[in-house]
Structures are given as C-alpha cells and as structure tokens.
Amino acid sequence: MSKTTVSAPANIAFIKYWGARDLDQALPMNPSISMTLEQCVTQCTAELHGGDKDEVWISEPDGGFGTPEPDFARRVTDHLDRIRQWAGQEDHFRVATRNTFPGAAGLASSASGFAALTLATA
C-alpha cells in the first residue's frame, strides 16, 4: 500500500475573476488578485487500499475524522475518477483531509483542498 500526505496553502481573493470566459481551458472572465496564506493550509492524506470504492474522511471540530456531506464526498470521488483516468489506473483510495483554518471563512479552501488531493494521489 502507498500512502502520501500533502499540504497546500489557501488564498484569499482581493479581486475575484467572476466567472469563466472559456470553461474548457479554465480561463477566467477577468483577472484576479489574491494572496497565498502560508499558515492556512489543507492537509490531505491519500492511501491506496484494496477496497472496491473510495473512502473519504474529513476532520471534525474535535480533531477526529468523520464522514463528509454527500455533495463533498461526490466532488472528491469525481476528482479521483479523473485522476484514475489520467493515470490509467483503477486503484481506489482512502482520503482524509483537514484544514488549519475554519471553513466558510472566505478563504479558498476548495482550491487548497483539491490541490492537496491531486498531489497526494498523483
């Protein structure tokens, strides 16, 4: 089994790009200005496992891990499917993620979370 832990910093947007002019190429409608926050990171651990489906865990306020909301778990497994397709692999992962900052605080936790997830699984 292979296990990797990666941290990726969050950022805060001062000027947001407000949509995309080309979704296929991920080109923003307008330029944006943001700042990376070194102390606000998402830490993701991904481990290959022999199961027939992915397992997704998210940190709880008490420091433990629990099952995430279904929409969050679906976004993670959809991303893992894209990584599997890119890598030409069928392995499944056990993924655990935690932030060092509060969620829904206006920081780019999705960006840091998916960056850490991508690097940990690739």
Side-chain angles (χ1 to χ4, degrees):
M1 303 256 176
S2 178
K3 183 177 182 178
T4 304
T5 299
V6 173
S7 291
N11 67 27
I12 186 167
F14 299 119
I15 299 174
K16 294 189 177 198
Y17 58 85
W18 295 105
R21 69 173 186 246
D22 185 332
L23 286 175
D24 293 332
Q25 296 184 44
L27 297 176
M29 183 69 68
N30 301 299
S32 65
I33 298 174
S34 63
M35 180 176 75
T36 300
L37 305 170
E38 289 180 6
Q39 301 302 312
C40 297
V41 299
T42 300
Q43 184 180 57
C44 180
T45 299
E47 176 180 25
L48 290 172
H49 75 94
D52 61 348
K53 65 178 188 170
D54 297 310
E55 294 178 22
V56 180
W57 302 94
I58 191 164
S59 64
E60 298 285 346
D62 66 3
F65 285 90
T67 307
E69 296 291 326
D71 285 346
F72 178 83
R74 181 190 45 76
R75 289 177 58 211
V76 170
T77 56
D78 287 352
H79 191 66
L80 292 172
D81 287 343
R82 285 188 290 275
I83 292 169
R84 276 189 282 273
Q85 182 179 7
W86 167 79
Q89 299 292 321
E90 296 181 9
D91 298 318
H92 287 91
F93 293 92
R94 181 176 297 119
V95 174
T97 185
R98 85 170 65 237
N99 291 331
T100 63
F101 56 96
L107 304 176
S109 60
S110 291
S112 62
F114 281 92
L117 174 66
T118 301
L119 290 172
T121 54

